[in-house]
Amino acid sequence: MTETKKTVTKEDFSAVWKDGGNKLGGLNLDLVRHLKQQRERPSWISLKNKAISLLKLETYSDRPITVLDAGCGLGIDVVTVALKLGETNKHEGCRVIGLDFNTEMITYAKEVTYAESADAIASNIKVEFIKEDLTSLTSLADNSIDIVRTDIALQHLDLSKALPHIIRVLKPGGRIVSLEGAAIGGLYSPDTIVTSIYNKVLGHLSNNDDGGSGLQLYFLLKSHGFLDVGLELLPSVSNGQDLVAADEGWVKLKAGAQMFVQKGLLTEEESKNYQTHFVKACIDNLVIEVGMAALVTATKPPK
């Protein structure tokens, strides 16, 4: 009998985002804090700004449009898009919709992010939030969306189930702008304990054959006959100090290390040793995390 190889899968991390699933390795995660910390990383700020600029909202000033942010999280980008759309589009009936399957995210987006910015958004721009899974998407009509954007969301879903719904709701001639992960990157440090254990338990997620959700989306859109399918690979580099700021109290590090023990990938001693060395390498700024984002743009064919 062949022994099943023990490994960490992307589903182990994606499960955190389901309602009631905000645990990793048995430890509670503050998802709101996690997303805020992630967003504040300098490397991500530039990536997000570029992705939003590629929506080309200024080119839609001749008519009202609807923009869907699929997997909107805290709703920060929904508000950003609504503010930018209101600068150039004065037509009544413009809508910016934030959709997420996590109740905590949608509640925060409505009651905090949007509430704090509502007065600054132009009166002709209607902002809505919907709690729904992108793999069902029953709340949106066919051919009703001008632009669909995603931002590190598709990696948490079954893309083969989600994409048909995205295509269905997108209007003929409508556009997709997606900033998603590409499975290219890794963690580098002169501390070989850090790098050897990272490569042992997580290296296969940084570099794998399917290319990550961004490259998968790129190829699927081409196969569905989309026009002007574009791909830009953008590096994301974080140093030790960035990683310190992104994990206050090292909660995510501790949770991940505990999960590695639970899955039999590390012993308790190895886990503690990894955490000690990782924290020191970050504080001493002797670690570099390199990732790659795929910025995918495409247009749905006209009828």
Side-chain angles (χ1 to χ4, degrees):
M1 181 180 295
T2 303
E3 183 179 354
T4 302
K5 185 178 180 180
K6 297 174 182 176
T7 185
V8 175
T9 68
K10 68 176 184 178
E11 286 77 17
D12 290 320
F13 295 100
S14 297
V16 169
W17 299 102
K18 296 179 180 178
D19 275 354
N22 59 327
K23 288 181 180 292
L24 188 65
L27 299 180
N28 287 322
L29 295 182
D30 185 335
L31 299 181
V32 171
R33 175 183 291 181
H34 165 74
L35 285 182
K36 284 185 173 181
Q37 289 173 339
Q38 182 188 61
R39 186 177 180 82
E40 291 167 358
R41 292 167 75 166
S43 57
W44 275 110
I45 291 173
S46 61
L47 291 178
K48 281 178 170 288
N49 289 341
K50 184 175 182 64
I52 288 177
S53 71
L54 286 180
L55 298 178
K56 300 180 179 178
L57 296 173
E58 67 280 2
T59 65
Y60 293 88
S61 60
D62 60 331
R63 66 187 189 281
I65 66 166
T66 299
V67 181
L68 171 65
D69 188 332
C72 67
L74 303 178
I76 297 171
D77 293 337
V78 172
V79 168
T80 299
V81 170
L83 289 167
K84 288 185 176 296
L85 183 59
E87 292 174 0
T88 56
N89 195 313
K90 306 305 178 183
H91 294 274
E92 294 296 328
C94 288
R95 302 165 68 200
V96 181
I97 302 170
L99 181 141
D100 204 287
F101 64 12
N102 183 286
T103 301
E104 183 181 7
M105 296 296 102
I106 288 295
T107 300
Y108 189 95
K110 287 180 181 177
E111 298 180 0
V112 180
T113 305
Y114 174 66
E116 291 176 350
S117 305
D119 290 343
I121 297 173
S123 60
N124 64 307
I125 311 296
K126 182 179 180 182
V127 175
E128 306 167 46
F129 292 98
I130 300 172
K131 181 189 179 300
E132 189 170 15
D133 193 324
L134 194 56
T135 59
S136 57
L137 206 57
T138 59
S139 60
L140 297 176
D142 295 1
N143 305 317
S144 61
I145 306 295
D146 295 276
I147 305 173
V148 173
R149 74 174 301 271
T150 72
D151 187 336
I152 314 300
L154 299 180
Q155 65 190 33
H156 301 302
L157 303 168
D158 184 336
L159 186 54
S160 66
K161 294 180 180 178
L163 186 57
H165 290 288
I166 293 175
I167 294 172
R168 176 181 61 79
V169 303
L170 195 62
K171 293 179 181 178
R175 298 174 59 241
I176 293 178
V177 178
S178 291
L179 177 65
E180 295 292 336
I184 304 167
L187 191 78
Y188 305 93
S189 172
D191 188 328
T192 56
I193 290 178
V194 171
T195 54
S196 63
I197 293 181
Y198 175 89
N199 288 330
K200 175 182 177 180
V201 297
L202 291 174
H204 65 287
L205 293 180
S206 297
N207 295 278
N208 59 53
D209 292 340
D210 67 12
S213 56
L215 296 186
Q216 291 175 48
L217 176 64
Y218 170 75
F219 290 122
L220 283 170
L221 290 172
K222 289 177 76 73
S223 70
H224 280 281
F226 269 61
L227 307 176
D228 303 319
V229 182
L231 171 66
E232 185 174 359
L233 293 176
L234 303 169
S236 169
V237 180
S238 300
N239 63 26
Q241 296 305 309
D242 296 328
L243 298 176
V244 171
D247 193 3
E248 184 178 346
W250 299 109
V251 174
K252 289 175 280 188
L253 172 65
K254 294 173 185 175
Q258 184 60 36
M259 180 181 68
F260 304 151
V261 172
Q262 292 172 353
K263 293 179 77 73
L265 295 166
L266 298 178
T267 65
E268 288 282 0
E269 183 178 353
E270 287 174 326
S271 173
K272 291 177 182 178
N273 200 27
Y274 173 65
Q275 293 176 66
T276 299
H277 280 257
F278 185 87
V279 170
K280 186 176 187 306
C282 288
I283 291 173
D284 293 342
N285 216 16
L286 291 174
V287 62
I288 294 289
E289 181 185 65
V290 179
M292 192 71 73
L295 189 49
V296 180
T297 55
T299 302
K300 183 176 177 179
K303 288 183 178 179

